[in-house]
Amino acid sequence: MSYTQAEKLQIMLLCDIHRALGIEDSYDPDVIEEAITTDNNWAIGWKYQNLNDGSKTPPHVTFFVDTVDMYKILQYTYQHFSSDDRVEVESKLTNFHGEKSLVFPGFDGNNETDYLSVGYMLEKLGRFEGTDITKNSHMPCVDTYRRMLDVFLPARSKDWNHNKGISKESFIAVFQAKIHPSLR
């Protein structure tokens, strides 16, 4: 769903009125205003199911959520590895630095602003608490994440174990995909 400039102005004015009246047991005007002004209209349906218009989640939002989920599952998996597994993983992966390599790096603030906007919106919705999802990576990351997700998503659906995460082999394969093919 998209809104005209006039509709956006009306919604923003209604949000101002809502705040001025001090209404607290209804819709959150800050969430609605942020969604409207940043063209993250999908967020309204995520926050309020009764306002979900049935539109499909935009692909860049799904990509963002899958990417953050991937990093959270990689962290979870690594935490459940034995000491021997960790040694093996580190020996097979160049430029892998344990827990530091498992922190979500973010998206580029200059070239991937649509993704950063999604991060700010998800943060306002209270999603992915405990993870900084609004980080500026200061370098383009979409292509890297896409390569990693191409390996991770099938592993998550085939090999996910709630008590351990994904398999060690899949974990290694995801991090190997992080390296550009021309540098392997």
Side-chain angles (χ1 to χ4, degrees), residues 4-29:
T4 65
Q5 285 298 92
E7 290 169 330
K8 286 181 181 183
L9 179 59
Q10 290 170 352
I11 292 168
M12 290 177 1
L13 288 171
L14 287 170
C15 287
D16 286 344
I17 293 168
H18 191 280
R19 275 191 286 276
L21 292 174
I23 300 169
E24 294 181 14
D25 61 347
S26 181
Y27 298 106
D28 183 340

Side-chain angles (χ1 to χ4, degrees), residues 20-39:
L21 292 174
I23 300 169
E24 294 181 14
D25 61 347
S26 181
Y27 298 106
D28 183 340
D30 296 331
V31 168
I32 292 172
E33 187 173 63
E34 179 80 12
I36 296 300
T37 59
T38 61
D39 288 325

